[in-house]
Amino acid sequence: MKNLTRRSAIKKSLKAAVAVSAPMFLSSSVLGRGGKTGPNSRITIGLIGHGKIMKGHRQYHLGRDSVEVVALCDVDQRKLDLALAEVKAKTGKTCPTYEYYEELCARSDIDAVVVGTPDHWHAQISIEAMKNGKDVYVEKPMTLTIEEGKVMRETLHRYGSVLQVGSQQRSNASFRKAAELVLNGYIGKVRTVSARLGEFPAPSQYPAQPIPAGFNYDRWLGPAPWEPYNIERVKGDYGGGWRSFWDYGSRKNGDWGAHHYDIIQWALGRDESGPVEFVPKGYEGTEKQYYVYDDGVKVTRGYSREGAMIHFVGDDGEVMVSRGDKFETKSPSLKNVVLKTSDIRLYESSDHRADWLNAIRTRKQPICNVNIGHRSATICQLSGISERLGRPIYWDPVSEQIVGDASAAKWMSRPRRAPYGLLG
Amino acid sequence: MGCSVEAVSTIFNIPNIFRMKISFKKQFLVIAISTFSSVALASEYRSELIVLAEQFKSPDLETQYAARRGLEMLVAKASAPNVSRGVAKINGDLLYGLRNSSVSREAKKYMLRQLALVGSNQAVSSLNRIMLGSDVLLAENARKALESIEGSRATSVLIKAFTKAGVAGQKDLIRSLGKRGDAASISLIGKSLEGADTGIAIEAAQALGRAGGERAQSLLIFQYGQIADDGLVQALERSILAIGSEDSVILKTLFENGSDVAIRRAALRRLLKQGGSEVLEALRSGLADEDRDMRSIAIRAGLASDEAAFRDAVVEGSKDMDSAELGVLVSGLASIDRESAERIAIRAFDSGDEGLMVLALEALGHWGSSLSVDLLITAYGKGDKVLRIQAASSIGRLQSEKMDQRLADMLRSESKDEVESALELLAYRNIPQAKSLLLGLVAGDDEALVKSALRALPPIATQNDLEHLLKIAEGAEGDSRRLMVSLLKKLAPTVGSDSLQTKVKQL
């Protein structure tokens, strides 16, 4: 029945018979359905990548009545075993585990996935999930390359998925208040912003070590270039590990930068745009990496642990905001400003994961949607490209192209190792 | 030998990434490599490249890394926009390195990676030889370099290589050709759709979806009518969607018969975006579908449509929606006129479903008018914690002067509860009359209200307000005076003038 219908449609199509006065629909009742859980029902979730960051997601989702964790996936059997033990301890139930995310994504009874893998896997897994009709929570930065971001954006718009990027500072009241003050001109014209990222150790080579039993290292590498196994390369460590390798991320720019650049974009009203120039540390004596918007606002990277995480300086005041609800202003009275009704009020969320779950039910896009995630990740990536090339990069945020530098433009994509070829 | 890596790095403008804490002997090597990298632009890059290649053989891992980074920097500098013929020169020198038998396999691997970034037509023949060679690692890197080199020569060698490759190799080549998307390769990829190997056919379907264009679309649609394998059918359907087909016959077929619900939803989205009277039937079908997400997508897409008939169909259908669907509707009201949006949100609030009531309150904050003032105030006054929080936020956002007036009236009210509520809401809404009314309450006799009013004052207090408060405090007594003084002492250092601070200290 299905093929006959398909074939007859193709015939019509190839004959350019666009006239559709007699719709060829089959009755809905005779067609198979996806059986996806809907609003007011439990949202079924698969958790992919069980490193450090997934621990918080597991605890959150395992503790909620509105959510049911029904599948786990990791390329490391040891991590899967630990995660499954946690599921059993908290729910008294077990659930299937997977080495290959494709098998998890193919399950029609799963509504949504959380992607907590290293950065170089974010895009491919998220895309596969969306193509299978899932909604996605993907850790920050959303992507490893600018090309990946564009493909993710296209895929989301094609399938209508709900996607939240894990830049959870947007769901914190202090960061929102800071952004609202800056956006509404309470510190006057913004001149400079500093973002405290800290530093990773310099990258290095590591000797080959035996691959531990139960760990699919080739799959862990995935589309990244092949390199010999070493624990330093794969470990999840906020002070280094895979985060400090260019092959799997954008180092500190993709780590803390993904959080802070995201808030800066929000505060400057640039969620659909971005900076125009990126200058690396060391270029013609430049002491600190920075980027510049078309109106001259300069965002400088901080390397130490001193000062606020994000510091906005305007003509009429300053706003300093950090995690832990550390929020200060100059003058201090700015801190308590109540916005006027004519002021712009930003999207309000007090719980990043709950905002995503709510968006799944209502089909709206959440606070840190794919467009925002892509634009923020683009800043991380362009900062990294500029650092690796040792020269400034000029960016057109409208056409989303590197300007006047053909070889730098090649860095917007990265060759993908076989067989992890095409995205989209 | 007092020259540190740091100092040399500074002199030669070497990025920080290169400044490693390493032993002194290693420093020498690193400095030598860095120096060569930096001065290389004055001449050809060959000799420097060979020095770097030698360092790849070092047993010392840090030196190996420094060589890798040095090679990257050398190529980056050669290919910078302001370097005359830099790309041609570095291409030539990288090819020399690849031909050189004394250069290690590891160094060649990194040279190939650099050619993926700066490779030009002059590299195609050499890369082709390596791609067809026996060294699998180098062949893979050569293919990736060819994949990114612009121009027909690279496409041509990838096509020729296809006939000589095994199944795995053919899949890789199809991916490369798909990524390049050159018209010259579409026929070959199309033929692979018809081949005996389903795995290759699936890769070909995906590659055509990526490559795009009318020819690719025709091939996909033609095969879609011929193929029976479920996996391949799904791949074809996904690629037809990826390629952006606007053929309404195909889209309707995908909507009705798509192999999974995600494909059906995507087809419906595309159909609704296209619009047209004939698509209205699809919208109605989507709104009545058994799949909840399909219904949600129909609601969303219908609301977002430019066609009034689509929006009307959704709004009309709202009468029969359950609370979950109403939630989707209420969260997507941005697309319809404010009056209708407000009416729908008020109806949703009246449903009594708490989740829906919260969404309705949020919507009223955005789309409400003076008609919503009482509802929001009531929700704040009588709702549970979740409703109160949302109501307060929406009271702050509501674009209606009637809300300012209502809060001012509440502040003047005889009802203590109303006054207390209004005082709390001043933290969310900045009404013009707030300060004079607040200070009036502070000057009043009711100690509880004085306390509440003082709590509401800090966010909006200015120097003048503090002067006013000081005068009230000077005439006040008891707990009220103590609270006023305490507040003045807290606020004066940040908001008050020097003279005010002096007066406050004397209190």
Side-chain angles (χ1 to χ4, degrees):
Chain A
M1 181 72 172
K2 188 169 155 184
N3 283 338
L4 278 175
T5 308
R6 180 155 47 88
R7 284 177 178 151
S8 60
I10 305 315
K11 255 185 203 169
K12 282 193 179 188
S13 179
L14 292 173
K15 289 174 185 169
V18 187
V20 284
S21 53
M24 49 206 301
F25 297 167
L26 291 175
S27 159
S28 297
S29 59
V30 302
L31 295 169
R33 292 291 179 260
K36 192 173 172 183
T37 313
N40 279 358
S41 304
R42 287 186 136 194
I43 294 171
T44 50
I45 287 186
L47 304 176
I48 303 172
H50 289 270
K52 278 190 180 320
I53 203 74
M54 187 58 86
K55 191 175 177 187
H57 292 294
R58 273 200 311 269
Q59 288 175 344
Y60 184 91
H61 292 299
L62 289 172
R64 297 182 87 78
D65 286 341
S66 58
V67 172
E68 186 171 6
V69 175
V70 295
L72 307 172
C73 175
D74 200 288
V75 294
D76 190 336
Q77 188 60 44
R78 298 163 303 174
K79 288 182 177 172
L80 266 184
D81 291 345
L82 289 171
L84 185 60
E86 192 179 328
V87 171
K88 283 179 186 166
K90 292 210 166 149
T91 66
K93 295 180 188 171
T94 186
C95 69
T97 59
Y98 300 89
E99 182 177 349
Y100 294 92
Y101 68 88
E102 295 94 330
E103 293 172 15
L104 185 154
C105 289
R107 269 179 57 179
S108 61
D109 63 331
I110 294 177
D111 295 322
V113 298
V114 178
V115 181
T117 61
D119 303 354
H120 66 293
W121 267 112
H122 286 176
Q124 185 153 341
I125 296 174
S126 298
I127 289 166
E128 181 69 13
M130 288 191 279
K131 283 161 72 174
N132 281 279
K134 318 289 182 226
D135 298 318
V136 176
Y137 185 112
V138 58
E139 268 305 332
K140 61 81 208 168
M142 189 178 88
T143 50
L144 181 70
T145 69
I146 294 166
E147 179 204 30
E148 288 179 350
K150 291 179 179 179
V151 176
M152 273 184 76
R153 186 172 58 190
E154 285 168 20
T155 308
L156 183 133
H157 291 150
R158 194 180 313 145
Y159 288 94
S161 303
V162 166
L163 183 142
Q164 176 87 298
V165 180
S167 298
Q168 77 274 14
Q169 285 176 181
R170 286 208 181 211
S171 294
N172 173 275
S174 294
F175 283 102
R176 186 182 71 248
K177 184 72 188 283
E180 284 179 332
L181 289 179
V182 173
L183 184 61
N184 286 299
Y186 284 90
I187 62 169
K189 166 84 178 87
V190 181
R191 298 294 175 186
T192 63
V193 189
S194 65
R196 198 184 80 194
L197 308 191
E199 274 194 292
F200 277 135
S204 188
Q205 292 281 83
Y206 293 96
Q209 292 174 337
I211 299 168
F215 181 44
N216 187 342
Y217 177 62
D218 190 82
R219 186 78 170 172
W220 185 92
L221 284 172
W226 194 89
E227 294 287 348
Y229 171 85
N230 184 288
I231 182 67
E232 292 299 323
R233 181 176 293 278
V234 301
K235 74 178 180 183
D237 180 348
Y238 293 129
W242 63 261
R243 286 176 175 78
S244 65
F245 286 80
W246 286 111
D247 284 345
Y248 322 119
S250 295
R251 289 174 49 83
K252 279 293 183 188
N253 279 304
D255 191 33
W256 278 108
H259 283 302
H260 299 341
Y261 300 158
D262 182 62
I263 296 296
I264 293 165
Q265 287 270 101
W266 203 26
L268 299 178
R270 300 289 189 150
D271 273 345
E272 299 288 336
S273 179
V276 295
E277 182 183 5
F278 295 80
V279 180
K281 179 179 178 179
Y283 176 73
E284 294 183 347
T286 304
E287 287 184 11
K288 293 178 178 178
Q289 166 202 312
Y290 66 88
Y291 59 83
V292 185
Y293 287 90
D294 58 3
D295 61 354
V297 176
K298 181 177 176 181
V299 180
T300 305
R301 171 180 168 175
Y303 295 83
S304 71
R305 295 185 174 186
E306 305 288 310
M309 284 182 161
I310 308 176
H311 187 162
F312 297 92
V313 179
D315 286 344
D316 305 330
E318 298 177 28
V319 169
M320 291 79 77
V321 61
S322 301
R323 290 206 178 173
D325 284 324
K326 291 176 187 162
F327 174 48
E328 299 297 334
T329 56
K330 286 182 187 173
S331 66
S333 60
L334 273 180
K335 192 176 172 181
N336 295 318
V337 158
V338 179
L339 295 182
K340 298 188 283 286
T341 42
S342 56
D343 283 336
I344 298 167
R345 308 244 175 173
L346 294 172
Y347 187 126
E348 200 172 329
S349 156
S350 56
D351 180 333
H352 210 59
R353 296 182 184 102
D355 180 63
W356 177 58
L357 295 173
N358 189 38
I360 290 174
R361 291 192 178 89
T362 62
R363 309 311 303 169
K364 67 172 184 174
Q365 285 303 322
I367 189 166
C368 198
N369 62 45
V370 74
N371 296 331
I372 293 168
H374 168 55
R375 292 292 188 164
S376 295
T378 295
I379 299 176
C380 306
Q381 289 144 11
L382 290 170
S383 298
I385 293 168
S386 162
E387 182 178 340
R388 288 185 76 172
L389 290 174
R391 63 175 183 259
I393 297 293
Y394 301 95
W395 175 248
D396 179 348
V398 178
S399 65
E400 295 189 73
Q401 295 295 330
I402 289 174
V403 180
D405 191 336
S407 64
K410 285 283 180 75
W411 288 74
M412 290 168 61
S413 173
R414 295 190 191 187
R416 298 166 62 80
R417 191 168 67 99
Y420 307 93
L422 284 172
L423 288 170
Chain B
M1 301 294 286
C3 189
S4 69
V5 170
E6 191 76 16
V8 173
S9 298
T10 304
I11 293 165
F12 288 101
N13 184 25
I14 297 163
N16 186 64
I17 193 173
F18 201 54
R19 301 176 193 172
M20 298 178 295
K21 289 180 182 173
I22 50 179
S23 70
F24 202 74
K25 278 187 181 174
K26 289 168 194 165
Q27 283 185 30
F28 229 109
L29 279 172
V30 171
I31 291 164
I33 296 162
S34 311
T35 307
F36 275 123
S37 303
S38 299
V39 301
L41 294 180
S43 61
E44 297 277 334
Y45 309 107
R46 186 166 299 176
S47 56
E48 291 77 14
L49 192 79
I50 294 305
V51 169
L52 289 166
E54 278 300 303
Q55 306 313 317
F56 275 89
K57 296 175 185 167
S58 167
D60 179 70
L61 293 165
E62 286 173 347
T63 304
Q64 282 180 29
Y65 186 82
R68 232 171 111 169
R69 176 62 179 151
L71 177 61
E72 189 171 282
M73 286 303 293
L74 181 68
V75 174
K77 289 185 180 182
S79 61
N82 57 347
V83 179
S84 173
R85 297 195 68 249
V87 170
K89 287 178 189 171
I90 197 67
N91 263 263
D93 292 337
L94 286 167
L95 294 175
Y96 172 82
L98 288 170
R99 286 193 301 270
N100 194 319
S101 58
S102 68
V103 171
S104 68
R105 184 175 183 246
E106 191 68 2
K108 287 181 177 176
K109 185 176 85 176
Y110 283 97
M111 289 176 186
L112 288 167
R113 285 193 196 173
Q114 291 303 313
L115 281 170
L117 293 163
V118 299
S120 64
N121 268 336
Q122 73 189 94
V124 169
S125 298
S126 299
L127 288 171
N128 187 36
R129 272 195 298 277
I130 296 169
M131 179 175 70
L132 299 175
S134 57
D135 188 320
V136 177
L137 181 71
L138 295 186
E140 151 88 352
N141 281 286
R143 179 186 60 79
K144 289 194 291 195
L146 284 166
E147 178 180 294
S148 69
I149 291 175
E150 288 167 15
S152 58
R153 286 186 64 193
T155 304
S156 177
V157 299
L158 288 166
I159 290 172
K160 281 180 187 158
F162 186 84
T163 53
K164 300 172 190 166
V167 170
Q170 286 188 339
K171 285 183 183 175
D172 294 342
L173 288 162
I174 285 175
R175 288 190 202 104
S176 288
L177 290 167
K179 186 170 182 192
R180 294 174 64 79
D182 292 337
S185 63
I186 299 300
S187 292
L188 172 72
I189 305 175
K191 277 182 195 160
S192 302
L193 271 180
E194 304 164 15
D197 188 291
T198 306
I200 289 179
I202 288 173
E203 294 289 350
Q206 198 183 352
L208 288 173
R210 178 67 186 257
E214 283 183 18
R215 175 85 180 118
Q217 183 173 319
S218 297
L219 288 166
L220 286 166
I221 290 174
F222 179 77
Q223 283 302 314
Y224 186 48
Q226 315 298 318
I227 301 294
D229 179 87
D230 285 348
L232 184 50
V233 166
Q234 187 188 53
L236 288 164
E237 289 173 337
R238 287 176 172 176
S239 288
I240 289 168
L241 289 166
I243 216 164
S245 175
E246 294 184 351
D247 184 324
S248 57
V249 174
I250 289 297
L251 290 173
K252 283 183 179 178
T253 304
L254 292 176
F255 169 53
E256 278 298 313
N257 296 336
S259 59
D260 64 47
V261 74
I263 287 166
R264 295 186 55 239
R265 291 181 203 143
L268 178 62
R269 281 170 61 82
R270 183 75 54 79
L271 275 170
L272 295 180
K273 205 171 177 185
Q274 281 183 10
S277 57
E278 68 274 16
V279 177
L280 190 57
E281 187 62 28
L283 173 63
R284 293 205 171 104
S285 181
L287 288 168
D289 200 278
E290 290 178 0
D291 176 63
R292 275 192 182 275
D293 278 358
M294 184 73 81
R295 296 203 296 273
S296 301
I297 281 170
I299 292 169
R300 278 275 170 178
L303 283 177
S305 170
D306 292 334
E307 302 203 21
F310 285 23
R311 296 195 299 274
D312 292 346
V314 175
V315 174
E316 277 169 30
S318 70
K319 296 181 188 84
D320 302 320
M321 288 179 186
D322 63 21
S323 59
E325 287 157 354
L326 271 178
V328 175
L329 179 65
V330 168
S331 302
L333 293 175
S335 314
I336 64 174
D337 64 279
R338 292 181 78 102
E339 198 179 319
S340 304
E342 184 175 34
R343 201 170 55 242
I344 289 169
I346 290 174
R347 185 152 59 83
F349 184 80
D350 290 341
S351 70
D353 178 307
E354 190 185 82
L356 188 52
M357 290 166 82
V358 172
L359 293 172
L361 289 174
E362 185 184 358
L364 288 174
H366 289 286
W367 322 115
S369 69
S370 58
L371 293 174
S372 301
V373 171
D374 288 343
L375 187 154
L376 288 169
I377 295 291
T378 306
Y380 181 76
K382 296 183 179 168
D384 67 9
K385 189 180 170 189
V386 177
L387 289 175
R388 281 170 64 85
I389 291 170
Q390 185 56 58
S393 173
S394 293
I395 286 168
R397 286 175 185 261
L398 188 77
Q399 297 287 327
S400 169
E401 288 179 7
K402 194 181 167 195
M403 182 60 86
D404 294 340
Q405 192 53 51
R406 177 65 191 270
L407 290 178
D409 290 346
M410 287 169 71
L411 285 169
R412 296 189 198 98
S413 169
E414 295 291 314
S415 160
K416 205 168 163 179
D417 286 348
E418 283 217 338
V419 178
E420 291 276 10
S421 287
L423 286 170
E424 290 165 5
L425 288 168
L426 289 181
Y428 296 88
R429 190 174 180 94
N430 191 351
I431 69 170
Q433 316 94 314
K435 280 187 280 194
S436 61
L437 289 165
L438 268 181
L439 290 168
L441 288 169
V442 171
D445 298 329
D446 187 322
E447 279 199 8
L449 286 182
V450 170
K451 200 173 172 182
S452 298
L454 287 172
R455 255 203 314 268
L457 192 60
I460 52 180
T462 62
Q463 159 79 18
N464 285 344
D465 302 325
L466 295 190
E467 295 278 6
H468 196 154
L469 182 60
L470 179 65
K471 281 183 189 158
I472 299 170
E474 283 167 349
E477 295 176 341
D479 276 354
S480 295
R481 178 186 162 86
R482 188 178 53 73
L483 287 170
M484 287 179 218
V485 171
S486 166
L487 186 63
L488 281 164
K489 286 186 173 169
K490 187 178 164 192
L491 295 183
T494 55
V495 184
S497 63
D498 290 345
S499 69
L500 180 78
Q501 289 182 45
T502 308
K503 288 179 199 168
V504 168
K505 278 180 190 165
Q506 291 165 358
L507 277 172

